[in-house]
Amino acid sequence: MGIANEEALKQLRSLMEDVDDSLRESYRNIHQGYPTENLLRFLKARDWNVQKAHKMLLECLEWRAQNEIDKILTKPIIPADLYRAIRDTQLVGVSGYSKEGLPVIAIGVGLSTYDKASVHYYVQSHIQMNEYRDRVVLPSASKKQGRPICTCLKVLDMSGLKLSALSQIKLMTAITTIDDLNYPEKTETYYIVNVPYIFSACWKTIKPLLQERTKKKIQVLKGCGKDELLKIMDYESLPHFCKREGSGSGRHISNGTVDNCFSLDHSFHQELYSYVKQQAMVKGSSAPIRHGSVHVMFPEPDTEGTKIFDTLESEFQKLGNDQKI
């Protein structure tokens, strides 16, 4: 870190010493005992501008307080059949860890349909996975590695991506904006695999709109990406859709266990769901767990985000018109 960046870190640390008492619990939940690494994330997200990073961090804390994000891991999605339906249509999971100890998060972009529950349930589920990652998975990885592990790797499976994904743009905009503004710089690298023509066509238009910092994080791999990914993780940690060509995001059973990390039957989701239900019981004592989704305010996307999603929507429409012709 250069002298200028060290000075920026020092200034932001000083500013955060005066954080309001009502926001301190949220601040602790964000940094999980690693305040320096946390401050660096917000500084990177705002290109080392101290005032902008400070504003972003305070707005993040206020968003958490207003939406009771610190309590979201005490609010399980019930009944279990509804949660299973969400898991089957919002394809996300942890497949393992890289050789450096970073969690590997797999996302089935192409086959996620988001059509079995309301937008609020999907957003609640997404935030719960973020919070479980930050409060349980990353601290556990840090303890195991003996050093701060504050970021993850993401492998995005594009198999099955269709023009009908246009109907999900609004939800994806909300989720991406929540991540950009409240969970910045949590992903070390994005690996994109099983790329169909529709993605390649859109990528040529979207890539120039991305910040240079973001572009450097994205790697589009050939086929299922197996050979490249095995350089940074063991075979056991590969997402199931990377273990053989053409496997996609379907369901796979290996040696009697669920190999599909998207499934509610996978160990990651079993542990996450059990954790949330247990926290609910601790919080509510003997009170019954409430049904219904958590309603979270969707922050407005920044100018760059709006431009990207508008461009993506336009490209999908063009491709749709070309198909009709």
Tab-separated table of all heavy atoms in Angstrom, residues 185-205:
chain	number	residue	atom	x	y	z
A	185	GLU	N	-16.643	-4.851	-2.672
A	185	GLU	CA	-15.312	-5.482	-2.737
A	185	GLU	C	-15.224	-6.772	-1.916
A	185	GLU	O	-14.210	-7.056	-1.289
A	185	GLU	CB	-14.248	-4.492	-2.268
A	185	GLU	CG	-14.160	-3.231	-3.095
A	185	GLU	CD	-13.726	-3.473	-4.537
A	185	GLU	OE1	-12.810	-4.273	-4.754
A	185	GLU	OE2	-14.325	-2.858	-5.447
A	186	LYS	N	-16.302	-7.569	-1.938
A	186	LYS	CA	-16.285	-8.849	-1.234
A	186	LYS	C	-15.861	-9.992	-2.158
A	186	LYS	O	-15.634	-11.112	-1.695
A	186	LYS	CB	-17.673	-9.170	-0.659
A	186	LYS	CG	-18.161	-8.211	0.408
A	186	LYS	CD	-17.288	-8.202	1.646
A	186	LYS	CE	-17.340	-9.469	2.431
A	186	LYS	NZ	-16.653	-9.348	3.751
A	187	THR	N	-15.774	-9.716	-3.468
A	187	THR	CA	-15.405	-10.763	-4.424
A	187	THR	C	-14.034	-10.477	-5.014
A	187	THR	O	-13.793	-9.413	-5.566
A	187	THR	CB	-16.448	-10.854	-5.558
A	187	THR	OG1	-17.742	-11.080	-4.990
A	187	THR	CG2	-16.106	-11.992	-6.503
A	188	GLU	N	-13.144	-11.443	-4.866
A	188	GLU	CA	-11.774	-11.316	-5.385
A	188	GLU	C	-11.762	-11.434	-6.907
A	188	GLU	O	-11.159	-10.624	-7.602
A	188	GLU	CB	-10.905	-12.411	-4.767
A	188	GLU	CG	-9.424	-12.178	-4.892
A	188	GLU	CD	-8.888	-11.216	-3.846
A	188	GLU	OE1	-9.569	-10.938	-2.840
A	188	GLU	OE2	-7.767	-10.723	-4.062
A	189	THR	N	-12.433	-12.483	-7.415
A	189	THR	CA	-12.469	-12.739	-8.864
A	189	THR	C	-13.798	-13.380	-9.236
A	189	THR	O	-14.338	-14.193	-8.489
A	189	THR	CB	-11.335	-13.688	-9.294
A	189	THR	OG1	-10.088	-13.231	-8.766
A	189	THR	CG2	-11.227	-13.766	-10.810
A	190	TYR	N	-14.313	-12.986	-10.413
A	190	TYR	CA	-15.502	-13.621	-10.985
A	190	TYR	C	-15.041	-14.506	-12.145
A	190	TYR	O	-14.408	-14.018	-13.092
A	190	TYR	CB	-16.477	-12.578	-11.534
A	190	TYR	CG	-17.064	-11.633	-10.513
A	190	TYR	CD1	-16.405	-10.457	-10.177
A	190	TYR	CD2	-18.295	-11.907	-9.908
A	190	TYR	CE1	-16.948	-9.572	-9.258
A	190	TYR	CE2	-18.843	-11.025	-8.986
A	190	TYR	CZ	-18.174	-9.865	-8.664
A	190	TYR	OH	-18.709	-8.996	-7.752
A	191	TYR	N	-15.371	-15.794	-12.094
A	191	TYR	CA	-15.068	-16.709	-13.196
A	191	TYR	C	-16.384	-17.051	-13.895
A	191	TYR	O	-17.327	-17.540	-13.257
A	191	TYR	CB	-14.407	-17.981	-12.669
A	191	TYR	CG	-13.072	-17.728	-11.997
A	191	TYR	CD1	-12.977	-17.640	-10.609
A	191	TYR	CD2	-11.911	-17.574	-12.750
A	191	TYR	CE1	-11.760	-17.395	-9.990
A	191	TYR	CE2	-10.680	-17.331	-12.137
A	191	TYR	CZ	-10.620	-17.240	-10.756
A	191	TYR	OH	-9.406	-17.001	-10.139
A	192	ILE	N	-16.463	-16.769	-15.185
A	192	ILE	CA	-17.687	-17.002	-15.945
A	192	ILE	C	-17.484	-18.210	-16.849
A	192	ILE	O	-16.520	-18.266	-17.621
A	192	ILE	CB	-18.062	-15.754	-16.765
A	192	ILE	CG1	-18.243	-14.555	-15.813
A	192	ILE	CG2	-19.335	-15.993	-17.568
A	192	ILE	CD1	-18.549	-13.239	-16.502
A	193	VAL	N	-18.386	-19.193	-16.725
A	193	VAL	CA	-18.214	-20.457	-17.462
A	193	VAL	C	-19.485	-20.829	-18.222
A	193	VAL	O	-20.544	-20.244	-18.012
A	193	VAL	CB	-17.822	-21.606	-16.502
A	193	VAL	CG1	-16.547	-21.274	-15.740
A	193	VAL	CG2	-18.955	-21.913	-15.513
A	194	ASN	N	-19.352	-21.827	-19.106
A	194	ASN	CA	-20.481	-22.338	-19.898
A	194	ASN	C	-21.211	-21.204	-20.609
A	194	ASN	O	-22.428	-21.036	-20.486
A	194	ASN	CB	-21.447	-23.127	-19.004
A	194	ASN	CG	-20.814	-24.382	-18.423
A	194	ASN	OD1	-20.013	-25.043	-19.082
A	194	ASN	ND2	-21.144	-24.698	-17.186
A	195	VAL	N	-20.443	-20.436	-21.347
A	195	VAL	CA	-20.962	-19.206	-21.957
A	195	VAL	C	-21.683	-19.488	-23.279
A	195	VAL	O	-21.089	-20.007	-24.215
A	195	VAL	CB	-19.794	-18.221	-22.212
A	195	VAL	CG1	-20.284	-17.000	-22.959
A	195	VAL	CG2	-19.156	-17.812	-20.889
A	196	PRO	N	-22.981	-19.120	-23.377
A	196	PRO	CA	-23.710	-19.266	-24.639
A	196	PRO	C	-23.545	-18.020	-25.502
A	196	PRO	O	-23.004	-17.002	-25.045
A	196	PRO	CB	-25.163	-19.414	-24.176
A	196	PRO	CG	-25.220	-18.581	-22.931
A	196	PRO	CD	-23.862	-18.686	-22.278
A	197	TYR	N	-24.065	-18.076	-26.707
A	197	TYR	CA	-23.934	-16.944	-27.639
A	197	TYR	C	-24.545	-15.676	-27.059
A	197	TYR	O	-23.978	-14.583	-27.207
A	197	TYR	CB	-24.608	-17.275	-28.973
A	197	TYR	CG	-24.775	-16.050	-29.858
A	197	TYR	CD1	-23.676	-15.496	-30.516
A	197	TYR	CD2	-26.012	-15.412	-29.972
A	197	TYR	CE1	-23.813	-14.346	-31.291
A	197	TYR	CE2	-26.156	-14.269	-30.745
A	197	TYR	CZ	-25.052	-13.739	-31.398
A	197	TYR	OH	-25.185	-12.603	-32.140
A	198	ILE	N	-25.695	-15.794	-26.419
A	198	ILE	CA	-26.401	-14.611	-25.933
A	198	ILE	C	-25.528	-13.811	-24.956
A	198	ILE	O	-25.528	-12.582	-24.957
A	198	ILE	CB	-27.748	-14.999	-25.284
A	198	ILE	CG1	-28.533	-13.737	-24.901
A	198	ILE	CG2	-27.559	-15.883	-24.076
A	198	ILE	CD1	-29.932	-14.027	-24.400
A	199	PHE	N	-24.747	-14.536	-24.116
A	199	PHE	CA	-23.865	-13.828	-23.191
A	199	PHE	C	-22.727	-13.152	-23.956
A	199	PHE	O	-22.396	-11.994	-23.696
A	199	PHE	CB	-23.271	-14.775	-22.152
A	199	PHE	CG	-22.206	-14.125	-21.296
A	199	PHE	CD1	-22.563	-13.345	-20.204
A	199	PHE	CD2	-20.857	-14.256	-21.615
A	199	PHE	CE1	-21.581	-12.712	-19.440
A	199	PHE	CE2	-19.884	-13.627	-20.851
A	199	PHE	CZ	-20.252	-12.853	-19.760
A	200	SER	N	-22.124	-13.870	-24.886
A	200	SER	CA	-21.006	-13.309	-25.657
A	200	SER	C	-21.418	-12.032	-26.373
A	200	SER	O	-20.669	-11.046	-26.411
A	200	SER	CB	-20.509	-14.339	-26.678
A	200	SER	OG	-20.096	-15.520	-26.029
A	201	ALA	N	-22.637	-12.036	-26.927
A	201	ALA	CA	-23.129	-10.861	-27.644
A	201	ALA	C	-23.306	-9.671	-26.711
A	201	ALA	O	-22.946	-8.531	-27.038
A	201	ALA	CB	-24.456	-11.199	-28.332
A	202	CYS	N	-23.846	-9.910	-25.520
A	202	CYS	CA	-24.072	-8.820	-24.553
A	202	CYS	C	-22.760	-8.348	-23.922
A	202	CYS	O	-22.577	-7.158	-23.658
A	202	CYS	CB	-25.029	-9.280	-23.455
A	202	CYS	SG	-26.716	-9.548	-24.016
A	203	TRP	N	-21.837	-9.285	-23.709
A	203	TRP	CA	-20.578	-8.967	-23.035
A	203	TRP	C	-19.771	-7.930	-23.809
A	203	TRP	O	-19.157	-7.038	-23.229
A	203	TRP	CB	-19.772	-10.242	-22.835
A	203	TRP	CG	-18.434	-10.074	-22.168
A	203	TRP	CD1	-17.215	-10.427	-22.652
A	203	TRP	CD2	-18.179	-9.511	-20.868
A	203	TRP	NE1	-16.221	-10.128	-21.752
A	203	TRP	CE2	-16.784	-9.558	-20.649
A	203	TRP	CE3	-18.991	-8.973	-19.869
A	203	TRP	CZ2	-16.187	-9.094	-19.486
A	203	TRP	CZ3	-18.401	-8.497	-18.701
A	203	TRP	CH2	-17.014	-8.564	-18.518
A	204	LYS	N	-19.801	-8.009	-25.137
A	204	LYS	CA	-19.063	-7.051	-25.965
A	204	LYS	C	-19.551	-5.620	-25.730
A	204	LYS	O	-18.775	-4.662	-25.822
A	204	LYS	CB	-19.224	-7.408	-27.446
A	204	LYS	CG	-18.536	-8.706	-27.849
A	204	LYS	CD	-18.834	-9.054	-29.298
A	204	LYS	CE	-18.213	-10.390	-29.678
A	204	LYS	NZ	-18.570	-10.793	-31.066
A	205	THR	N	-20.833	-5.480	-25.426
A	205	THR	CA	-21.410	-4.150	-25.209
A	205	THR	C	-21.243	-3.687	-23.771
A	205	THR	O	-21.007	-2.507	-23.496
A	205	THR	CB	-22.918	-4.166	-25.560
A	205	THR	OG1	-23.079	-4.725	-26.867
A	205	THR	CG2	-23.501	-2.770	-25.530
